[in-house]
């Protein structure tokens, strides 16, 4: 799937292909119809906010989403 990814080291915003997540026990996956960029995302982009703990130098933006449930995982 495509995701807006901010590379923190050079503040470059790129649209990249990332793996489709699978929901874990008690979770759902949402098929996103729309996503908003919030002020926290803007602060990440302009450098006034920096994440403390990242497994690499990139972070996926847009945590304000709307959509429908795409997959449901209820059993362990």
């Amino acid at each position: 799937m495509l995701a807006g990814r901010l590379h923190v080291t050079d503040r470059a915003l790129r649209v990249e292909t990332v793996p489709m997540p699978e929901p874990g026990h008690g979770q759902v996956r949402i098929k996103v119809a729309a996503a908003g960029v919030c002020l926290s995302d803007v602060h990440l982009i302009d450098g006034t906010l920096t994440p403390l703990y990242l497994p690499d130098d990139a972070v996926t933006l847009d945590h304000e989403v709307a959509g429908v449930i795409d997959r449901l995982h209820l059993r362990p």
Side-chain angles (χ1 to χ4, degrees), residues 21-30 69 71-75:
E22 288 298 323
H25 175 65
Q27 296 180 333
V28 298
R29 183 174 67 196
I30 304 295
I69 293 175
R71 180 162 292 174
L72 175 62
H73 188 274
L74 294 177
R75 297 185 189 127

Side-chain angles (χ1 to χ4, degrees), residues 20-53:
M20 179 76 73
E22 288 298 323
H25 175 65
Q27 296 180 333
V28 298
R29 183 174 67 196
I30 304 295
K31 181 178 181 182
V32 177
V37 175
C38 73
L39 191 54
S40 296
D41 293 333
V42 172
H43 289 318
L44 286 170
I45 294 166
D46 72 12
T48 57
L49 182 64
T50 300
L52 295 178
Y53 305 104

Side-chain angles (χ1 to χ4, degrees), residues 3-7 10 12-16 57:
R5 306 269 292 161
L6 176 68
H7 291 263
D10 61 1
L13 181 60
R14 301 182 187 112
V15 175
E16 300 175 344
D57 83 321

